[in-house]
Amino acid sequence: MSLSQSLQQKLLQKLSPQQIQLMKLLQVPTANLEERIKEELEENPALEVGEDGHDDFEEGDDFKSDSEEEYDSEGSTDEYDNIDLSDYVHEGDDEVGDYKLRDENYPEMDEGKVIPIRVETSFHEVLLNQLGMMELDERTQKIAEQIVGSIDDDGYLRREMSSISDDLAFRQNILSSEGEIEGLIKQIQQFDPPGICARDLKECLILQLKRKVGEGKEVELAMQVLEKYFDEFTKKHYEKIQRGLSLTDQQLKDVINQIIKLNPKPGGNIGFVNKAESYVVPDFFIFNNNGVLELTLNSKNAPDLRISEGYRDMIKDYEKGSKKDKRQKEAVLFIKQKIDSAKWFIDMIKQRQQTLIGTMSSIMNYQKEFFLTGDETTLKPMILKDIAEMTGLDISTVSRVANSKFVQTEFGTYRLKFFFSESLSTDSGEEVSTREVKKILSNLIEAEDKRKPLSDEQLTDMLQEKGYNIARRTVAKYREQLNLPVARLRKQL
């Protein structure tokens, strides 16, 4: 057995705690930043929301944390005697007078403001309320509740009956047969909205049509189409359906109109909608002021944070005191640590603001023509590296900003990553954005004759005639990215 030594050279990159904190804050969208700040306020009593519009420290303040200072628990006072509090006590601090700042007999107008709170009912609560109207014994009630709890947010029961039966046996000690469960499923399928508790799309649509029986012959024909020719209908093989059911063109149109009016996700519009999914809070606003673009940051991204006056007063009292025992010195070290942590967080928020505004400003200048006109065909090819070079930021930093932030313009609200696209060459050698090509492709499909939709080959020829060097497979890829189906599925009667 022999021992050997070797030298290895490794290149490592380590992020400082400040950089990690900044990266995390950059990923937080504006809608959630307030909650993140609230968490920090609860954890650090030295941090508070200011009221005077400015912070209580200068940019040149030392943000180095003293939390790592160590001192001898046996009572050595060397560490205590060297506590430098000059960064925490300012000579020119204004003291608040003893007089009252307002007349207590006339309360502020805001104190009487009532903030409305939306009352929310979940989708499953809606179903359970209907279940409560049925006269069921305790055992059957539990089985029905298990079924309702297995329905997903779209309104479908996608779990097998055997799985539901197993859950009832192992979790609630209830033995049930698949026949009993099936019977309860049939009853729950009578709940509102129509189509609820279906096992698949076909059953969901048929359940909705059954509620319309008696409203016309086209409803009965529509049920026959779904029961016998569901696959053909989804693939738009209308000729086969016409031949199989001997339908006229008008009857086929009436059947199609009946089916497309049905709801494929009956649970989708019922109950609580996640606030984060129901609306978008823009991080930036861009206005066109007579041809001059003006960029502003959402005020929620620039909170007025400051160091607590109470904590600074404690530092002042310590400085003024003549007798400084060990307990007081331990307390002042704790206060120092909290103040440093608060300063550090405030600095990270400021760096976040600077990074956001710098990145968005570069994007705005790069895509100036689009922000002036709103025409997607004016978008230039732009990749993360382009903005990283303009801002001096790392590509990963730009990516974090682009993936989670939104900008509101006169033409709508866009995610920042919308403005990033690869390039495609034209016959003249000019580099154009793939976003421009997708817009033209979308316009061609929108303007096509729906009775004879354009194939990918025809779309490729039309784009090439416009001067874009593009292959058929690329056209198919862009069409799929635009969520546009193939020509056969776009066909209408």
Side-chain angles (χ1 to χ4, degrees):
M1 184 176 181
S2 61
L3 297 175
S4 62
Q5 280 187 328
S6 63
L7 290 176
Q8 287 184 340
Q9 202 171 23
K10 289 184 179 180
L11 184 61
L12 298 175
Q13 183 180 21
K14 290 188 177 181
L15 294 176
S16 67
Q18 290 92 335
Q19 289 173 314
I20 295 173
Q21 177 86 305
L22 179 59
M23 293 302 101
K24 288 181 179 180
L25 283 174
L26 280 176
Q27 290 178 303
V28 177
T30 299
N32 297 339
L33 181 63
E34 191 172 355
E35 184 178 346
R36 173 66 184 89
I37 292 173
K38 184 179 178 181
E39 290 176 2
E40 193 70 23
L41 288 168
E42 291 174 350
E43 292 177 5
N44 189 351
L47 182 69
E48 66 180 19
V49 179
E51 298 176 357
D52 52 3
H54 65 82
D55 299 321
D56 289 336
F57 65 94
E58 303 296 330
E59 290 188 12
D61 282 352
D62 181 14
F63 295 107
K64 181 175 180 296
S65 174
D66 296 290
S67 60
E68 296 180 0
E69 289 188 27
E70 296 179 358
Y71 51 90
D72 185 6
S73 60
E74 296 299 323
S76 173
T77 58
D78 292 340
E79 296 276 356
Y80 298 122
D81 294 338
N82 294 327
I83 295 177
D84 182 11
L85 301 177
S86 59
D87 288 338
Y88 305 89
V89 182
H90 302 285
E91 295 296 330
D93 288 340
D94 296 328
E95 298 292 341
V96 178
D98 293 332
Y99 54 84
K100 296 181 180 178
L101 297 177
R102 64 182 176 90
D103 191 340
E104 293 179 356
N105 295 321
Y106 296 91
E108 296 289 333
M109 294 295 292
D110 289 344
E111 290 182 2
K113 187 184 295 182
V114 177
I115 301 175
I117 299 175
R118 184 174 67 182
V119 177
E120 298 166 344
T121 304
S122 71
F123 164 63
H124 287 91
E125 286 175 343
V126 172
L127 297 181
L128 289 173
N129 288 338
Q130 295 179 69
L131 183 63
M133 298 179 187
M134 298 174 63
E135 294 182 0
L136 302 174
D137 57 56
E138 184 179 352
R139 177 181 172 279
T140 308
Q141 177 80 17
K142 289 182 178 180
I143 297 174
E145 288 176 355
Q146 183 71 34
I147 295 170
V148 169
S150 300
I151 298 174
D152 64 22
D153 291 337
D154 290 336
Y156 287 87
L157 179 65
R158 292 192 168 98
R159 296 199 67 202
E160 296 291 335
M161 284 190 289
S162 58
S163 299
I164 296 174
S165 179
D166 290 342
D167 286 344
L168 287 166
F170 291 114
R171 296 183 181 179
Q172 301 195 47
N173 197 27
I174 296 176
L175 296 178
S176 58
S177 65
E178 292 190 5
E180 184 180 15
I181 294 173
E182 179 67 29
L184 283 169
I185 289 174
K186 294 296 183 185
Q187 294 184 59
I188 295 171
Q189 286 176 346
Q190 303 305 311
F191 289 0
D192 288 325
I196 213 73
C197 201
R199 269 63 71 91
D200 52 38
L201 177 60
K202 178 180 177 180
E203 185 180 20
C204 176
L205 299 178
I206 291 175
L207 285 170
Q208 294 177 57
L209 286 173
K210 284 182 178 179
R211 302 276 185 102
K212 295 186 173 185
V213 170
E215 294 184 9
K217 187 177 179 181
E218 61 272 10
V219 175
E220 296 178 4
L221 289 173
M223 288 182 65
Q224 291 183 45
V225 168
L226 292 179
E227 288 172 348
K228 298 178 181 179
Y229 298 96
F230 181 75
D231 290 339
E232 288 78 5
F233 181 81
T234 57
K235 296 175 182 176
K236 294 195 174 183
H237 290 157
Y238 297 139
E239 297 83 1
K240 188 173 181 179
I241 297 173
Q242 274 189 286
R243 290 195 304 268
L245 295 176
S246 301
L247 301 178
T248 64
D249 289 345
Q250 185 58 47
Q251 285 178 321
L252 182 60
K253 286 182 180 179
D254 292 341
V255 166
I256 293 172
N257 288 333
Q258 278 291 331
I259 296 175
I260 62 176
K261 287 189 293 185
L262 302 176
N263 186 0
K265 295 182 179 181
N269 298 323
I270 304 297
F272 169 69
V273 178
N274 190 319
K275 292 180 182 179
E277 297 174 355
S278 60
Y279 61 88
V280 170
V281 177
D283 301 84
F284 311 94
F285 301 93
I286 293 181
F287 302 98
N288 182 355
N289 187 3
N290 295 323
V292 179
L293 294 176
E294 296 180 352
L295 170 66
T296 57
L297 187 65
N298 190 321
S299 60
K300 290 182 179 293
N301 285 296
D304 181 19
L305 300 174
R306 68 180 185 183
I307 307 301
S308 168
E309 286 291 337
Y311 267 58
R312 290 176 54 184
D313 288 343
M314 289 186 221
I315 296 285
K316 292 178 186 177
D317 292 341
Y318 175 82
E319 278 290 281
K320 293 175 182 176
S322 56
K323 183 181 179 182
K324 297 180 175 63
D325 58 28
K326 179 182 175 181
R327 182 173 297 178
Q328 287 179 316
K329 292 170 184 176
E330 287 177 348
V332 84
L333 281 176
F334 172 79
I335 294 169
K336 231 180 119 188
Q337 177 187 355
K338 290 299 181 182
I339 291 178
D340 283 333
S341 179
K343 285 183 176 182
W344 184 26
F345 184 76
I346 293 171
D347 188 44
M348 291 303 103
I349 292 291
K350 284 192 170 184
Q351 287 189 44
R352 180 183 187 273
Q353 296 169 23
Q354 293 166 1
T355 303
L356 291 181
I357 203 72
T359 303
M360 188 65 242
S361 179
S362 298
I363 294 173
M364 181 183 71
N365 293 330
Y366 202 102
Q367 304 289 8
K368 183 177 181 180
E369 194 63 28
F370 169 81
F371 289 109
L372 288 172
T373 64
D375 185 0
E376 289 185 29
T377 60
T378 62
L379 285 170
K380 300 177 183 178
M382 183 178 76
I383 58 177
L384 294 172
K385 184 179 178 183
D386 296 327
I387 301 303
E389 291 176 350
M390 292 177 67
T391 58
L393 298 170
D394 189 82
I395 292 178
S396 62
T397 302
V398 177
S399 176
R400 284 183 173 89
V401 175
N403 284 330
S404 59
K405 303 296 178 290
F406 292 84
V407 57
Q408 181 176 309
T409 72
E410 297 176 12
F411 318 104
T413 301
Y414 301 87
R415 191 185 290 271
L416 262 59
K417 70 177 182 181
F418 169 83
F419 304 105
F420 292 86
S421 62
E422 299 290 340
S423 62
L424 189 76
S425 62
T426 62
D427 289 340
S428 61
E430 181 186 1
E431 295 291 317
V432 297
S433 168
T434 55
R435 179 74 64 182
E436 175 183 335
V437 181
K438 288 180 183 179
K439 180 62 177 176
I440 295 172
L441 177 62
S442 177
N443 291 340
L444 289 173
I445 292 176
E446 186 177 348
E448 70 185 0
D449 182 357
K450 296 303 179 184
R451 291 174 296 181
K452 295 180 180 178
L454 299 169
S455 65
D456 288 346
E457 289 81 2
Q458 291 172 311
L459 291 168
T460 303
D461 293 338
M462 295 173 75
L463 286 169
Q464 289 178 347
E465 288 174 7
K466 293 179 179 291
Y468 298 100
N469 293 323
I470 191 169
R472 190 202 64 80
R473 63 179 180 276
T474 307
V475 170
K477 182 179 75 172
Y478 289 172
R479 176 181 52 72
E480 290 171 359
Q481 290 174 351
L482 292 167
N483 293 321
L484 296 170
V486 295
R488 178 171 50 79
L489 298 180
R490 299 199 306 271
K491 185 177 180 181
Q492 298 177 4
L493 296 177

